[in-house]
Amino acid sequence: MDSKSNPAPFPDLGGEYPVDEALRQSYLEKGHIVLRAVAKPEEVAVYRSEIGGLVRKLNPHKKDLNDRDTYGKAFIQVGNLWRHSRAVEKFVLARRFAKIAADLMGVEGVRIYHDQALYKEPRGGHTPWHQDQIYWPLDTEHTVTMWMPLVDIPEEVGSMTFASGTHKEGFITRQVISDESHKTLQQFVTAKGYEQVNYGALAAGDATFHSGWTAHCAPGNPTDRMREVMTIIYMADGVRIADPDSAARQNELPQVFPGLKPGDIAASPINPLVYHRDWDRRN
C-alpha cells in the first residue's frame, strides 16, 4: 500500500443509509436493487480522482480496444485498489456501504471479498451475460456486489441489466464471461421468462446491489466518455471456503484467500471485517 497517500482530505463515509424491510424483501425476491444517493456527489467527486489515477496506472490492457476479445472490450478491470491507496481503503472499507450489504442480506456482519474498478471505455463493448459467483470459491449464497458509478451515467449507457429471480437457481452455467456465456444465459433467461431490468440513467453516488448468483449483463458504451464504476463485493462473516470445483475457482482461491484452504473460514488479512451488528450494540 502506498503509505504516502493521505486519506485525511477524503470525506468520512460512515453514518447510515436506511434499508427498510420492503427494500430488503425486494432485494431478496429479485436478487438486485437500485438505491439512490448512497454517496453524495461531492463525496464521490473527491474519491473519483484517486480511483481513476490508480486505474490508469494499473490498467492491464496493452492492446488497442479493437484488437481485444469480447471480455477485453467490455471494460478496464482492476481489483483490490484499496491495497494501493489509504484513500481508496477509506472508500472500500466504508461502514455506510457495508451496513447496506449486511441489511440487504440479513446477516450479522460482512467482510470484503475484493473490490474492482470497472471502467468501460468510450466505444467499449457490451459485458456478456454471466453470474459472478462462478468465480468465487465460497460455500454460501450470502454474497452481494455494490456497483457505484463515479460519474453520471446517461440513459444510453445505463446500469447493468439483471434477470430478476435467477439468483434462486444457483449455478446456471459454469461458463466464464464470454460470447458463450452470453448466448447460454440469454437463451436460459428468455426461455424461462425471467423479467429483465435495467435501471437506466444513474447519478454519481447511486448504486445497484446484486446477489452473486444473479444473472446480469451490461450494454456497450456508445459515448465518448469513460463509464467510471467502482464495485465492492461483500460476503457474510463466518462463511467457509468451498472446494474449488472449476478452473476459474481454482485460479481465484490463492489470489483472494492467500494462505487458506477449502473448509477454512473465508477471512484472510485481505478480507477484513467491515461491519458487524455487535459494533452497534456496544455503542
Side-chain angles (χ1 to χ4, degrees), residues 23-280:
L23 286 175
R24 192 174 83 86
Q25 288 302 323
S26 179
Y27 167 78
L28 292 175
E29 179 62 27
K30 295 180 179 180
H32 59 87
I33 198 167
V34 64
L35 300 177
R36 305 292 181 178
V38 171
K40 299 175 182 177
E42 58 268 28
E43 293 174 328
V44 174
V46 176
Y47 285 101
R48 177 193 172 203
S49 177
E50 182 79 2
I51 293 169
L54 284 173
V55 170
R56 289 188 291 273
K57 177 181 178 182
L58 301 172
N59 181 0
H61 292 305
K62 307 303 179 187
K63 296 180 179 179
D64 182 80
L65 180 66
N66 294 325
D67 295 329
R68 303 177 207 158
D69 62 12
T70 299
Y71 187 83
K73 291 175 181 176
F75 38 59
I76 300 170
Q77 180 181 29
V78 184
N80 276 331
L81 290 180
W82 74 274
R83 300 185 67 199
H84 295 271
S85 160
R86 290 176 60 203
V88 180
E89 177 182 26
K90 194 171 183 178
F91 182 93
V92 172
L93 307 190
R95 178 189 187 278
R96 186 190 308 167
F97 306 155
K99 187 175 187 298
I100 293 172
D103 287 345
L104 289 174
M105 291 190 289
V107 300
E108 287 291 291
V110 292
R111 290 182 177 272
I112 296 295
Y113 182 80
H114 62 59
D115 67 57
Q116 282 189 329
L118 299 175
Y119 279 38
K120 193 176 289 286
E121 295 158 279
R123 311 302 171 186
H126 74 115
T127 305
W129 280 100
H130 64 283
Q131 293 176 290
D132 295 335
Q133 203 157 328
I134 67 160
Y135 292 95
W136 306 342
L138 291 172
D139 186 18
T140 184
E141 74 278 9
H142 291 310
T143 61
V144 64
T145 297
M146 183 186 83
W147 190 95
M148 178 179 286
L150 306 178
V151 294
D152 292 348
I153 296 180
E155 185 78 26
E156 60 265 36
V157 178
S159 77
M160 293 178 288
T161 297
F162 302 99
S164 299
T166 48
H167 62 304
K168 299 176 184 179
E169 297 276 358
F171 268 118
I172 298 173
T173 175
R174 296 180 189 274
Q175 294 169 328
V176 297
I177 303 175
S178 60
D179 294 330
E180 290 73 26
S181 74
H182 189 74
K183 180 179 179 180
T184 298
L185 283 168
Q186 179 68 82
Q187 290 175 341
F188 179 88
V189 168
T190 302
K192 293 282 189 177
Y194 280 109
E195 177 191 33
Q196 298 179 42
V197 176
N198 185 296
Y199 292 111
L202 296 175
D206 290 346
T208 62
F209 289 78
H210 68 273
S211 166
W213 287 122
T214 301
H216 59 286
C217 63
N221 179 5
T223 75
D224 294 321
R225 292 187 60 194
M226 184 81 79
R227 188 211 71 180
E228 303 172 30
V229 167
M230 187 65 178
T231 69
I232 307 171
I233 301 165
Y234 300 94
M235 57 187 174
D237 180 39
V239 305
R240 293 188 180 275
I241 299 172
D243 188 31
D245 52 3
S246 67
R249 287 183 163 190
Q250 289 169 3
N251 292 334
E252 188 94 342
L253 177 55
Q255 298 180 51
V256 181
F257 304 118
L260 300 182
K261 62 186 186 301
D264 290 342
I265 298 293
S268 84
I270 63 171
N271 312 113
L273 183 67
V274 284
Y275 174 75
H276 201 285
R277 299 194 194 282
D278 281 346
W279 300 350
D280 294 338

